[in-house]
Short mmCIF file of all heavy atoms in Angstrom, two decimals:
data_model
loop_
_atom_site.label_atom_id
_atom_site.label_comp_id
_atom_site.label_asym_id
_atom_site.label_seq_id
_atom_site.Cartn_x
_atom_site.Cartn_y
_atom_site.Cartn_z
N ASN A 1 -38.19 8.72 -7.36
CA ASN A 1 -38.62 7.56 -6.62
C ASN A 1 -39.57 6.66 -7.49
O ASN A 1 -39.64 5.45 -7.28
CB ASN A 1 -39.28 7.95 -5.29
CG ASN A 1 -38.24 8.39 -4.32
OD1 ASN A 1 -37.02 8.12 -4.39
ND2 ASN A 1 -38.68 9.11 -3.29
N ALA A 2 -40.34 7.29 -8.40
CA ALA A 2 -41.18 6.55 -9.21
C ALA A 2 -40.38 5.63 -10.18
O ALA A 2 -40.82 4.54 -10.60
CB ALA A 2 -42.05 7.42 -10.07
N LYS A 3 -39.17 6.07 -10.50
CA LYS A 3 -38.35 5.26 -11.41
C LYS A 3 -37.27 4.50 -10.56
O LYS A 3 -36.40 3.76 -11.14
CB LYS A 3 -37.61 6.12 -12.36
CG LYS A 3 -38.54 6.80 -13.39
CD LYS A 3 -37.75 7.65 -14.41
CE LYS A 3 -38.71 8.21 -15.45
NZ LYS A 3 -38.00 8.97 -16.44
N ASN A 4 -37.31 4.62 -9.23
CA ASN A 4 -36.43 3.88 -8.40
C ASN A 4 -34.91 4.21 -8.78
O ASN A 4 -33.97 3.27 -8.76
CB ASN A 4 -36.59 2.38 -8.46
CG ASN A 4 -36.91 1.73 -7.13
OD1 ASN A 4 -37.18 2.41 -6.16
ND2 ASN A 4 -36.77 0.40 -7.07
N THR A 5 -34.67 5.46 -9.04
CA THR A 5 -33.37 5.86 -9.54
C THR A 5 -32.93 7.16 -8.90
O THR A 5 -33.76 8.07 -8.66
CB THR A 5 -33.30 6.01 -11.07
OG1 THR A 5 -33.78 4.73 -11.70
CG2 THR A 5 -31.99 6.44 -11.61
N VAL A 6 -31.60 7.22 -8.60
CA VAL A 6 -31.00 8.42 -8.19
C VAL A 6 -29.96 8.88 -9.19
O VAL A 6 -29.30 8.04 -9.85
CB VAL A 6 -30.37 8.26 -6.77
CG1 VAL A 6 -29.57 9.44 -6.32
CG2 VAL A 6 -31.44 7.89 -5.71
N TYR A 7 -29.82 10.19 -9.38
CA TYR A 7 -28.92 10.73 -10.39
C TYR A 7 -27.93 11.53 -9.81
O TYR A 7 -28.09 12.17 -8.71
CB TYR A 7 -29.73 11.44 -11.42
CG TYR A 7 -30.89 10.74 -12.05
CD1 TYR A 7 -32.17 10.95 -11.51
CD2 TYR A 7 -30.70 9.94 -13.10
CE1 TYR A 7 -33.25 10.25 -12.16
CE2 TYR A 7 -31.72 9.27 -13.71
CZ TYR A 7 -32.95 9.43 -13.22
OH TYR A 7 -34.02 8.72 -13.75
N LEU A 8 -26.75 11.66 -10.46
CA LEU A 8 -25.71 12.62 -10.15
C LEU A 8 -25.31 13.32 -11.43
O LEU A 8 -24.58 12.71 -12.22
CB LEU A 8 -24.47 11.99 -9.45
CG LEU A 8 -23.41 12.89 -8.96
CD1 LEU A 8 -24.01 13.73 -7.78
CD2 LEU A 8 -22.19 12.21 -8.54
N GLN A 9 -25.79 14.47 -11.62
CA GLN A 9 -25.37 15.35 -12.73
C GLN A 9 -24.11 16.05 -12.39
O GLN A 9 -24.03 16.74 -11.43
CB GLN A 9 -26.53 16.37 -13.00
CG GLN A 9 -26.24 17.35 -14.14
CD GLN A 9 -26.12 16.64 -15.54
OE1 GLN A 9 -27.01 15.78 -15.84
NE2 GLN A 9 -25.16 16.88 -16.28
N MET A 10 -23.13 15.79 -13.30
CA MET A 10 -21.74 16.38 -13.07
C MET A 10 -21.45 17.33 -14.21
O MET A 10 -21.34 16.85 -15.34
CB MET A 10 -20.82 15.20 -12.96
CG MET A 10 -21.16 14.14 -11.90
SD MET A 10 -19.81 12.99 -11.57
CE MET A 10 -19.79 12.18 -13.17
N ASN A 11 -21.31 18.52 -13.93
CA ASN A 11 -20.94 19.53 -14.88
C ASN A 11 -19.59 20.10 -14.64
O ASN A 11 -19.04 19.96 -13.50
CB ASN A 11 -21.94 20.71 -14.88
CG ASN A 11 -23.38 20.24 -15.26
OD1 ASN A 11 -23.49 19.32 -16.01
ND2 ASN A 11 -24.35 20.95 -14.66
N SER A 12 -18.95 20.77 -15.63
CA SER A 12 -17.68 21.39 -15.43
C SER A 12 -16.67 20.45 -14.84
O SER A 12 -15.96 20.76 -13.92
CB SER A 12 -17.80 22.69 -14.59
OG SER A 12 -18.64 23.53 -15.22
N LEU A 13 -16.59 19.24 -15.41
CA LEU A 13 -15.76 18.15 -14.75
C LEU A 13 -14.30 18.57 -14.82
O LEU A 13 -13.82 19.24 -15.76
CB LEU A 13 -15.96 16.86 -15.55
CG LEU A 13 -17.31 16.15 -15.10
CD1 LEU A 13 -17.65 15.11 -16.17
CD2 LEU A 13 -17.09 15.50 -13.73
N LYS A 14 -13.60 18.12 -13.86
CA LYS A 14 -12.11 18.37 -13.73
C LYS A 14 -11.40 17.03 -13.60
O LYS A 14 -12.00 16.08 -13.33
CB LYS A 14 -11.87 19.27 -12.43
CG LYS A 14 -12.63 20.55 -12.32
CD LYS A 14 -12.41 21.24 -11.00
CE LYS A 14 -13.13 22.49 -10.86
NZ LYS A 14 -12.95 23.09 -9.52
N SER A 15 -10.12 17.14 -13.83
CA SER A 15 -9.36 15.87 -13.75
C SER A 15 -9.41 15.30 -12.35
O SER A 15 -9.34 14.07 -12.14
CB SER A 15 -7.89 16.16 -14.18
OG SER A 15 -7.39 17.16 -13.42
N ASP A 16 -9.55 16.13 -11.41
CA ASP A 16 -9.68 15.62 -9.93
C ASP A 16 -10.93 14.84 -9.69
O ASP A 16 -11.07 14.18 -8.71
CB ASP A 16 -9.62 16.84 -9.03
CG ASP A 16 -8.18 17.37 -8.88
OD1 ASP A 16 -7.27 16.71 -9.47
OD2 ASP A 16 -8.09 18.49 -8.30
N ASP A 17 -11.85 14.96 -10.69
CA ASP A 17 -13.11 14.23 -10.47
C ASP A 17 -13.04 12.75 -11.01
O ASP A 17 -13.88 11.96 -10.87
CB ASP A 17 -14.26 14.84 -11.26
CG ASP A 17 -14.57 16.26 -10.73
OD1 ASP A 17 -14.63 16.44 -9.48
OD2 ASP A 17 -14.79 17.17 -11.56
N THR A 18 -11.88 12.39 -11.54
CA THR A 18 -11.62 11.04 -12.07
C THR A 18 -11.69 10.03 -10.88
O THR A 18 -11.19 10.31 -9.79
CB THR A 18 -10.28 10.99 -12.72
OG1 THR A 18 -10.32 11.80 -13.93
CG2 THR A 18 -9.92 9.51 -13.08
N GLY A 19 -12.34 8.96 -11.21
CA GLY A 19 -12.45 7.86 -10.18
C GLY A 19 -13.63 6.89 -10.53
O GLY A 19 -14.40 7.13 -11.45
N VAL A 20 -13.71 5.93 -9.69
CA VAL A 20 -14.85 5.07 -9.77
C VAL A 20 -15.94 5.64 -8.82
O VAL A 20 -15.70 5.93 -7.59
CB VAL A 20 -14.55 3.62 -9.29
CG1 VAL A 20 -15.79 2.70 -9.40
CG2 VAL A 20 -13.44 3.09 -10.21
N TYR A 21 -17.15 5.75 -9.37
CA TYR A 21 -18.28 6.37 -8.65
C TYR A 21 -19.18 5.28 -8.16
O TYR A 21 -19.65 4.42 -9.00
CB TYR A 21 -19.01 7.44 -9.41
CG TYR A 21 -18.22 8.67 -9.49
CD1 TYR A 21 -17.07 8.86 -10.20
CD2 TYR A 21 -18.70 9.84 -8.85
CE1 TYR A 21 -16.31 10.02 -10.32
CE2 TYR A 21 -18.02 11.03 -8.93
CZ TYR A 21 -16.86 11.10 -9.60
OH TYR A 21 -16.15 12.33 -9.64
N TYR A 22 -19.51 5.28 -6.85
CA TYR A 22 -20.38 4.34 -6.29
C TYR A 22 -21.63 5.02 -5.73
O TYR A 22 -21.49 6.13 -5.13
CB TYR A 22 -19.71 3.58 -5.20
CG TYR A 22 -18.45 2.83 -5.50
CD1 TYR A 22 -17.21 3.44 -5.47
CD2 TYR A 22 -18.50 1.49 -5.89
CE1 TYR A 22 -16.03 2.76 -5.83
CE2 TYR A 22 -17.39 0.79 -6.23
CZ TYR A 22 -16.14 1.43 -6.23
OH TYR A 22 -14.98 0.73 -6.51
N CYS A 23 -22.72 4.34 -5.86
CA CYS A 23 -23.87 4.80 -5.08
C CYS A 23 -24.19 3.81 -3.91
O CYS A 23 -23.79 2.59 -4.04
CB CYS A 23 -25.13 4.95 -5.97
SG CYS A 23 -25.77 3.48 -6.70
N ALA A 24 -24.77 4.27 -2.93
CA ALA A 24 -25.06 3.48 -1.73
C ALA A 24 -26.36 3.92 -1.15
O ALA A 24 -26.77 5.09 -1.27
CB ALA A 24 -23.99 3.65 -0.67
N ALA A 25 -27.08 3.01 -0.46
CA ALA A 25 -28.40 3.24 0.01
C ALA A 25 -28.45 2.79 1.52
O ALA A 25 -27.90 1.74 1.88
CB ALA A 25 -29.52 2.52 -0.83
N LYS A 26 -29.28 3.56 2.23
CA LYS A 26 -29.56 3.23 3.62
C LYS A 26 -30.99 3.49 3.97
O LYS A 26 -31.52 4.63 3.64
CB LYS A 26 -28.64 4.05 4.59
CG LYS A 26 -29.01 3.85 6.03
CD LYS A 26 -28.11 4.55 6.96
CE LYS A 26 -28.68 4.46 8.40
NZ LYS A 26 -28.80 2.99 8.85
N TYR A 27 -31.65 2.47 4.53
CA TYR A 27 -33.02 2.70 4.98
C TYR A 27 -33.04 3.76 6.03
O TYR A 27 -32.23 3.77 6.97
CB TYR A 27 -33.62 1.40 5.50
CG TYR A 27 -35.04 1.47 5.85
CD1 TYR A 27 -36.08 1.35 4.88
CD2 TYR A 27 -35.43 1.83 7.14
CE1 TYR A 27 -37.38 1.50 5.16
CE2 TYR A 27 -36.81 1.95 7.52
CZ TYR A 27 -37.74 1.81 6.47
OH TYR A 27 -39.10 1.94 6.76
N ALA A 28 -34.04 4.71 5.89
CA ALA A 28 -34.09 5.75 6.88
C ALA A 28 -35.52 5.93 7.35
O ALA A 28 -36.42 6.07 6.48
CB ALA A 28 -33.61 7.11 6.24
N PHE A 29 -35.77 5.94 8.62
CA PHE A 29 -37.12 6.12 9.14
C PHE A 29 -37.58 7.56 8.93
O PHE A 29 -38.72 7.84 8.66
CB PHE A 29 -37.14 5.81 10.65
CG PHE A 29 -36.92 4.32 10.90
CD1 PHE A 29 -35.79 3.81 11.27
CD2 PHE A 29 -38.09 3.46 10.74
CE1 PHE A 29 -35.68 2.47 11.49
CE2 PHE A 29 -37.95 2.09 11.00
CZ PHE A 29 -36.66 1.58 11.34
#
């Protein structure tokens, strides 16, 4: 949160993981 960044570390990638990856945000109380 200090860097205002979210990460997705992806290991052991497979062909089924192919695609366009999107991040999305929602305000939460």
Side-chain angles (χ1 to χ4, degrees):
N1 287 340
K3 294 184 178 180
N4 237 18
T5 302
V6 173
Y7 305 96
L8 186 66
Q9 177 67 43
M10 307 187 296
N11 299 329
S12 302
L13 283 162
K14 305 175 181 180
S15 57
D16 287 349
D17 296 319
T18 293
V20 178
Y21 282 71
Y22 300 89
C23 64
K26 174 178 173 54
Y27 185 85
F29 291 98

